[in-house]
Amino acid sequence: MNKWYKSNWIKAILSFLVCLSLVTVAVCTVCLATSLGNNATWSDITKNNVKTYSKSQGFVQTLNNMEYEILNQIYGSSQFETNGSYDENKLVDIKEYVESGTISGVNTSGFAYTIHDLDNWYSTEPDIDYAYTDTYTFVVCKKPDGTYHYYTPDEFRSLVTDSEFHFNIQDGSDLSSEELLDDLLNGAYTYSYSSGIVILDTSNQLIYSDCWTLETSLPESYPPDGAESILDIANNNANWNGNLSGMYNDLDAAINSLSSDLNDYRYPNTDFSEGNSNLAYLLIDHTGKKVYSNYEKYTDYAKFNENINTLKALGAYVVITPDLKGFETNLDAAANDWRMHSVYLSDNSVSDDFTFVIAVNTAFPIQDEFYTANQDYNAMLPYYMPLMVMDVLGLLIFLIAIVWLTAIAGRTNRSSAVCLNQFDKIWTEAALALVLVLWLTPFALLINVWDSYQMSSIQMINVARLSMPLLVITGSIALITAACFLLGWLSLVRRIKAFTIWKNSLCRKLFRLIARLFRRLGMFLRDFWNNRRLTFKITVTYFGFCLIHWISSFAWSHSFFLFLMVLCFELAGFVYLIRRAIVRDRIKDGIRRISEGNVDYKIDTTHLKGNDFEVANLINNIGNGLSTAVSKSMKDERMKTDLITNVSHDIKTPLTSIINYVDLLKRENFTDPKVVGYIEILEQKAQRLKNLTEDVVEASKVSSGNISLEMMNINFVEMLNQIDGEYSEKFESRGLEVIISMPDTPIIVYADGRRLSRILENIYGNAFKYAMEGTRIYADLTLTDSRVIFSLKNISAQSLNISADELTERFIRGDVARTTEGSGLGLSIAKSLTELQGGTFTLYLDGDLFKVTITFPIGKTS
């Protein structure tokens, strides 16, 4: 019965719904995400009372981000200024600046430069890597007290040359002082305890317990504050002694960071400047009585209260003070989220007593970022809820369709078995790779198209605005993803249901290959051990050969005798391999001749030795055994044939008498029904015994080859009509209808007429005995270029639980219960007689269908 829920049209509809729903979800999600990322949040969408952009959480987040940017810009200005003006002579403590990013103007660590020097340093050599170079500039000497002293190479060489101190080598090296000095300055010793060198003064007192070179270098264009060089600070400042490489690392980080900060200071963001933004801010330093603002009219400290009220009147505002009690806003905002930025930045730039006010004119008279966001928010507000509903509905439809398709995957109304398509028959890993390629290729192409579209646009695309190319590309990617997902997922489900996911896996094949290799290795090792008497000899010979070659590869050029010995050894190996090949070929030829039937053939064992001699003798003995077995088999077959012939002949004489006397009894015209019945049974059984005796004799003659054939041209059509006429009454008695298909013209075959008649009688007799009553029997005679083909097929009355080959064996009957008359020799005799006349005899069984086909060569023309 057809089940509608797993029909092909239902699968097509579900697949369409999967693609459509995923495209819908993707497009709606992109629409919501572009808006959520810039103008609104989920809470804005779910709250029906948020009707204006200035009341939305998207507006609050944007304003909060701008607060951080503004305070950071104010803080950056204070870093490089003194009394409100840029101060290029302001000191930058390197350690303080690297660790906290602060420029206090005080040299607290002993390692500082002016802003001017660091700025020019980066400008002259912006690409230099100050921390690691390829030259070894400084010599580090360790004092006995654990402190260090640094020298330039020239300074260190001068002290050694002037004999101010000299080396004492601890590792017993015989290098001179000059050689040791050159090695040291050329970078041979670059870390502590690598040299084993101690340095003594003129009175042989220990000055330094170790020395090495430092892998750092810097062309110092400017000296540090209060010192002649970095080396001077490292030698005289306890905070930096022993950390010269750290000084260069910190200096590198400070120069690069300061360059970036100065760039931000010199080219500030003008988006908040007066006339360019709907935003206004005040940062009031009550300690310094100073006001920072993007509007010049609000910078008068005396009017800060009036200015604060003016900013509040703009619409949306936030007032922040160091204490939470001073926090004030008309927005849905948490005090801690705002106070965190203000307090941190103001602590580093202004004072602990401040008031920060940020406000936005909610009338949005200036077309800035807020104006654009407000326009987008108002445009998208009516669509937020429908988009969410479509998003959820699309996801629900997608899940339902996928679950439905998963349940009916591989199921059809035509079959209860799991149906696999051609894609499901591909190796599992290959199918996965193909799905990924089909998905990633167009995906990458569409992404590349989107990037090209963005780059080719005259103005930057605002993701807050829904652009048609973005939606088209999103929908296309979703459609491709859905199609590839369906292809891969449903194939996976069908493979799981059909239990082919692992069976058709490359990993399985790989594991089986590895297992097979291990099995073969195990078999090899087992055979190696079981045949160790032979294998050990070969192994020793092989490795001896390899050893001689290894030795010769290193020494033959220095020893002609060794070269000559290796050459002789190789020639001996060559002769041995040739002899082995000849012996194997001789043995192979002997096996081939014996397998072809020449069991009397003997392998020549002359010059054979060892295992080869033993194998050849065994093969010769196999030939002797086969010859004896064949002779015995032929003798037994002749004895059986003679026995059957003699017994049959002895049975024939009394059987003929019985048949004659039964015929005489029938002529007496007995009136007693019982007597008449007895006589009929006697006649039937005697006739059956006669047929059986003839069949046995015939089978014996055929199998022994003791039969002579009188081959001639015979009209097969005429003989077939004759046999059909003989069996027509018998077939009618069992309700069997014979349908013959043969040409009207004569078909001549080259055969023995009497034997061909016996073949057809046996075939027809088999159909008469075993065909189902009331059925048809089909006889077909056809002619090809070189053969005549006759076939007879019928429906068997008994189930044929036997093979075709067994049916042609002697005494084998399709009627296992033996309820019908028959000897089990008819088909066997027919097959043997057919093959003796150069024909073929084949049986075909399919359920209860029985078909016999014989072929004969076409008759010879005179």
Side-chain angles (χ1 to χ4, degrees):
M1 188 176 87
N2 289 339
K3 298 179 179 178
W4 65 270
Y5 59 84
K6 61 178 181 178
S7 61
N8 289 333
W9 64 271
I10 283 291
K11 292 178 181 179
I13 292 175
L14 291 174
S15 300
F16 173 76
L17 288 177
V18 167
C19 297
L20 180 62
S21 61
L22 193 60
V23 170
T24 303
V25 169
V27 171
C28 292
T29 302
V30 167
C31 292
L32 290 171
T34 52
S35 298
L36 292 176
N38 297 273
N39 306 325
T41 63
W42 285 113
S43 62
D44 297 332
I45 297 175
T46 55
K47 291 179 181 178
N48 294 326
N49 59 337
V50 182
K51 301 298 184 182
T52 61
Y53 172 61
S54 59
K55 297 297 182 181
S56 69
Q57 284 298 310
F59 174 81
V60 174
Q61 291 178 4
T62 302
L63 193 60
N64 185 252
N65 293 335
M66 289 183 175
E67 176 220 11
Y68 178 80
E69 189 175 348
I70 291 168
L71 291 176
N72 196 37
Q73 187 172 322
I74 295 173
Y75 166 62
S77 300
S78 65
Q79 290 277 75
F80 302 106
E81 294 178 357
T82 302
N83 297 325
S85 301
Y86 176 67
D87 184 5
E88 66 177 11
N89 295 318
K90 191 174 183 178
L91 285 177
V92 179
D93 185 278
I94 300 301
K95 184 176 182 181
E96 179 185 47
Y97 185 64
V98 169
E99 292 179 352
S100 64
T102 303
I103 302 176
S104 62
V106 180
N107 184 0
T108 57
S109 68
F111 185 34
Y113 288 89
T114 65
I115 293 176
H116 170 272
D117 291 346
L118 294 176
D119 183 30
N120 288 346
W121 211 333
Y122 181 84
S123 299
T124 55
E125 298 182 68
D127 299 325
I128 189 169
D129 184 357
Y130 300 103
Y132 302 100
T133 65
D134 294 332
T135 59
Y136 307 99
T137 304
F138 303 117
V139 178
V140 183
C141 295
K142 185 176 182 180
K143 298 179 182 179
D145 61 0
T147 60
Y148 301 87
H149 195 86
Y150 303 92
Y151 295 96
T152 64
D154 293 339
E155 184 181 7
F156 189 78
R157 182 181 292 276
S158 177
L159 290 172
V160 175
T161 303
D162 295 341
S163 300
E164 293 292 330
F165 50 70
H166 59 276
F167 298 113
N168 184 13
I169 306 173
Q170 300 295 315
D171 60 1
S173 174
D174 56 356
L175 294 175
S176 64
S177 295
E178 290 77 9
E179 293 174 328
L180 187 60
L181 178 62
D182 289 339
D183 287 347
L184 180 66
L185 297 181
N186 288 330
Y189 310 108
T190 57
Y191 56 92
S192 180
Y193 304 109
S194 65
S195 63
I197 300 172
V198 298
I199 299 177
L200 308 177
D201 60 12
T202 54
S203 59
N204 289 328
Q205 296 297 317
L206 179 65
I207 303 177
Y208 302 117
S209 59
D210 199 359
C211 64
W212 62 93
T213 52
L214 184 66
E215 301 179 5
T216 56
S217 175
L218 177 66
E220 291 190 66
S221 303
Y222 303 94
D225 178 57
E228 295 181 359
S229 65
I230 297 176
L231 210 62
D232 188 26
I233 297 175
N235 285 328
N236 298 312
N237 191 320
N239 293 328
W240 294 104
N241 187 259
N243 193 23
L244 182 61
S245 61
M247 295 177 71
Y248 285 111
N249 289 333
D250 288 349
L251 181 59
D252 173 50
I255 291 173
N256 287 284
S257 180
L258 185 76
S259 173
S260 177
D261 292 344
L262 272 174
N263 189 64
D264 293 339
Y265 172 76
R266 288 167 177 160
Y267 308 102
N269 187 356
T270 59
D271 291 345
F272 306 127
S273 60
E274 187 173 353
N276 290 327
S277 177
N278 290 303
L279 180 145
Y281 67 84
L282 295 175
L283 177 59
I284 306 167
D285 179 7
H286 296 292
T287 303
K289 299 186 181 301
K290 185 175 181 180
V291 179
Y292 301 89
S293 177
N294 59 335
Y295 281 77
E296 184 66 28
K297 61 184 178 180
Y298 297 143
T299 58
D300 187 356
Y301 180 78
K303 298 180 179 181
F304 75 85
N305 283 321
E306 179 184 345
N307 293 333
I308 290 175
N309 292 328
T310 301
L311 262 62
K312 288 182 179 180
L314 291 176
Y317 68 88
V318 179
V319 179
I320 307 164
T321 62
D323 299 323
L324 288 177
K325 64 182 181 181
F327 180 81
E328 183 182 351
T329 184
N330 61 350
L331 302 176
D332 184 10
N336 281 328
D337 294 341
W338 291 78
R339 181 178 175 275
M340 179 177 61
H341 295 155
S342 302
V343 171
Y344 171 75
L345 293 172
S346 297
D347 281 348
N348 289 280
S349 60
V350 188
S351 67
D352 292 337
D353 187 10
F354 69 91
T355 300
F356 180 70
V357 184
I358 185 170
V360 176
N361 187 342
T362 54
F364 306 112
I366 300 174
Q367 296 187 15
D368 62 350
E369 181 178 346
F370 289 104
Y371 173 86
T372 303
N374 179 63
Q375 295 291 322
D376 294 337
Y377 185 86
N378 292 333
M380 287 296 299
L381 185 62
Y383 303 104
Y384 282 145
M385 189 56 66
L387 285 173
M388 285 187 62
V389 172
M390 291 178 64
D391 211 349
V392 174
L393 185 61
L395 185 60
L396 184 62
I397 293 174
F398 174 80
L399 293 175
I400 293 174
I402 283 296
V403 172
W404 195 335
L405 282 171
T406 301
I408 64 175
R411 305 296 183 185
T412 64
N413 288 319
R414 297 189 303 271
S415 173
S416 60
V418 178
C419 298
L420 301 178
N421 56 34
Q422 292 300 320
F423 182 77
D424 300 332
K425 298 175 183 178
I426 302 175
W427 286 332
T428 302
E429 294 81 1
L432 174 61
L434 181 60
V435 169
L436 290 177
V437 169
L438 291 176
W439 176 59
L440 291 176
T441 301
F443 182 86
L445 181 62
L446 289 171
I447 293 297
N448 186 57
V449 170
W450 173 247
D451 291 340
S452 301
Y453 171 75
Q454 282 187 303
M455 294 179 65
S456 62
S457 297
I458 296 176
Q459 52 182 332
M460 200 67 176
I461 292 176
N462 185 0
V463 294
R465 296 179 180 270
L466 297 177
S467 60
M468 186 56 65
L470 175 61
L471 296 183
V472 170
I473 290 177
T474 300
S476 301
I477 291 175
L479 181 61
I480 293 169
T481 301
C484 293
F485 174 76
L486 279 176
L487 177 65
W489 172 254
L490 296 181
S491 178
L492 176 65
V493 171
R494 289 191 293 267
R495 290 166 190 261
I496 293 174
K497 290 182 179 181
F499 303 100
T500 61
I501 186 170
W502 177 246
K503 182 181 178 181
N504 202 20
S505 170
L506 284 173
C507 291
R508 175 175 176 265
K509 294 183 182 297
L510 179 62
F511 291 154
R512 293 183 68 181
L513 176 62
I514 294 174
R516 188 158 55 247
L517 290 176
F518 274 105
R519 284 197 301 269
R520 290 185 177 181
L521 177 61
M523 293 171 59
F524 170 77
L525 294 176
R526 182 187 62 195
D527 293 341
F528 183 89
W529 177 254
N530 292 338
N531 299 278
R532 54 188 176 275
R533 185 169 62 89
L534 175 63
T535 55
F536 282 173
K537 293 179 181 179
I538 297 175
T539 303
V540 171
T541 303
Y542 173 76
F543 281 105
F545 186 82
C546 292
L547 179 63
I548 292 175
H549 268 274
W550 274 101
I551 295 174
S552 64
S553 64
F554 291 105
W556 75 272
S557 60
H558 303 287
S559 174
F560 177 76
F561 173 75
L562 183 59
F563 171 73
L564 187 62
M565 184 181 70
V566 171
L567 182 61
C568 293
F569 187 76
E570 289 179 344
L571 289 174
F574 175 75
V575 172
Y576 171 76
L577 292 175
I578 293 297
R579 290 191 60 187
R580 289 284 298 168
I582 294 173
V583 168
R584 285 176 182 157
D585 188 68
R586 188 187 302 175
I587 295 174
K588 175 184 175 183
D589 182 66
I591 295 173
R592 179 180 58 78
R593 291 181 179 235
I594 293 174
S595 66
E596 290 175 351
N598 188 4
V599 295
D600 294 327
Y601 181 81
K602 303 297 181 188
I603 299 174
D604 184 9
T605 58
T606 307
H607 305 301
L608 296 186
K609 298 179 181 179
N611 289 329
D612 295 333
F613 179 80
E614 184 178 352
V615 169
N617 274 332
L618 290 174
I619 293 173
N620 289 337
N621 291 335
I622 289 174
N624 292 334
L626 287 173
S627 179
T628 303
V630 169
S631 299
K632 185 175 182 300
S633 176
M634 292 179 65
K635 181 179 178 182
D636 292 342
E637 190 66 27
R638 283 194 297 270
M639 290 179 63
K640 286 192 289 184
T641 302
D642 293 342
L643 175 63
I644 292 171
T645 302
N646 294 333
V647 170
S648 300
H649 184 270
D650 291 341
I651 292 175
K652 255 186 177 182
T653 302
L655 182 59
T656 303
S657 299
I658 292 172
I659 293 173
N660 291 334
Y661 279 109
V662 168
D663 185 58
L664 292 174
L665 288 172
K666 289 176 66 178
R667 294 178 183 179
E668 293 295 328
N669 296 321
F670 292 104
T671 59
D672 189 347
K674 289 184 178 180
V675 174
V676 173
Y678 293 154
I679 293 173
E680 289 179 356
I681 292 172
L682 281 173
E683 184 181 24
Q684 292 174 3
K685 300 305 179 184
Q687 191 63 39
R688 180 180 178 187
L689 183 59
K690 178 184 177 183
N691 293 336
L692 178 60
T693 304
E694 291 175 351
D695 287 346
V696 171
V697 173
E698 187 77 17
S700 175
K701 290 180 179 179
V702 170
S703 62
S704 64
N706 186 20
I707 187 172
S708 59
L709 298 175
E710 297 178 4
M711 303 296 288
M712 63 184 70
N713 289 336
I714 298 173
N715 187 345
F716 202 111
V717 174
E718 181 180 343
M719 181 169 288
L720 189 58
N721 285 326
Q722 179 182 345
I723 298 297
D724 182 67
E726 292 176 0
Y727 275 86
S728 60
E729 293 183 1
K730 292 183 179 181
F731 285 150
E732 289 177 1
S733 66
R734 299 192 67 227
L736 299 174
E737 180 184 358
V738 181
I739 299 176
I740 301 178
S741 175
M742 60 181 175
D744 297 331
T745 58
I747 295 178
I748 307 302
V749 297
Y750 188 70
D752 184 321
R754 189 164 65 89
R755 308 300 179 187
L756 179 58
S757 176
R758 179 63 186 273
I759 293 170
L760 293 176
E761 287 177 358
N762 287 1
I763 293 174
Y764 268 75
N766 185 77
F768 168 71
K769 294 174 187 176
Y770 300 111
M772 180 182 292
E773 292 185 4
T775 60
R776 294 185 178 90
I777 298 175
Y778 294 89
D780 297 311
L781 181 63
T782 57
L783 177 65
T784 64
D785 293 339
S786 60
R787 310 288 288 184
V788 175
I789 303 173
F790 172 73
S791 65
L792 187 79
K793 55 185 176 183
N794 62 269
I795 301 299
S796 175
Q798 303 290 333
S799 59
L800 298 175
N801 298 322
I802 191 171
S803 67
D805 292 336
E806 288 180 296
L807 275 178
T808 56
E809 294 180 5
R810 295 181 189 177
F811 305 107
I812 299 297
R813 297 169 58 184
D815 180 14
V816 180
R818 295 183 178 266
T819 58
T820 59
E821 294 185 1
S823 61
L825 293 171
L827 294 179
S828 176
I829 292 172
K831 179 180 180 181
S832 299
L833 290 175
T834 301
E835 292 174 350
L836 282 174
Q837 298 175 77
T840 62
F841 185 99
T842 56
L843 293 182
Y844 173 77
L845 304 179
D846 186 2
D848 294 335
L849 175 64
F850 176 87
K851 180 180 180 181
V852 58
T853 302
I854 59 174
T855 67
F856 284 97
I858 294 177
K860 298 181 179 180
T861 58
S862 57

